[in-house]
Amino acid sequence: MKKKILLVVVATVLALGVLTGCSESYKVSQNVSQEADNFNVTRKLTVINARTDTVLLELTGTFALQNNNDNELEVIIETAEGKYKKDLVYLNDYTMYVVEDVSGANVDKYHYEINFLPEWGAKITHKN
């Protein structure tokens, strides 16, 4: 009976570890991506025609990226404090893009932030 209980406890701990445990690099990667999407990281976007090796677009600045379902790359660019522009880059079989992290991000794997509605002005930051 004790072996069965021990087996159940070990199985539960392992299952929880698989479900909640992430590698350090995964946590840092998520934090870096979030910082970039919050316009806190300077990045460089290069769109290339892979067939002709021609650079079609270069953009350096603070921007967020999203792929939509129409084979378009949505680029939201922060042009000034509180000012943004949206550009669309059409992607096809011959175009590719590369995003480089130019400035780097100062992230902490133990840091998280909860933001309520922006109108409230409430910001709670916790650091372990």
Side-chain angles (χ1 to χ4, degrees), residues 1 6 12 15 34 41 49 60 73-75 87-89 108:
M1 184 67 174
L6 181 62
T12 303
Q34 183 176 6
V41 176
N49 181 328
T60 302
L73 181 63
E74 295 181 15
V75 185
D87 291 335
L88 298 172
V89 178
D108 181 352

Side-chain angles (χ1 to χ4, degrees), residues 43-88:
R43 302 190 290 176
K44 180 177 180 181
L45 167 69
T46 306
V47 180
I48 302 166
N49 181 328
R51 189 177 198 190
T52 63
D53 295 333
T54 306
V55 174
L56 303 173
L57 172 76
E58 282 187 334
L59 168 68
T60 302
T62 54
F63 55 86
L65 294 175
Q66 292 180 345
N67 277 319
N68 65 23
N69 293 332
D70 297 327
N71 280 346
E72 291 175 332
L73 181 63
E74 295 181 15
V75 185
I76 310 298
I77 306 162
E78 184 178 40
T79 59
E81 185 69 34
K83 303 236 184 234
Y84 304 92
K85 291 187 177 185
K86 178 178 176 178
D87 291 335
L88 298 172

Side-chain angles (χ1 to χ4, degrees), residues 84-105:
Y84 304 92
K85 291 187 177 185
K86 178 178 176 178
D87 291 335
L88 298 172
V89 178
Y90 179 73
L91 301 172
N92 60 35
D93 292 340
Y94 300 113
T95 54
M96 62 174 275
Y97 67 93
V98 177
V99 178
E100 300 173 68
D101 185 345
V102 176
S103 66

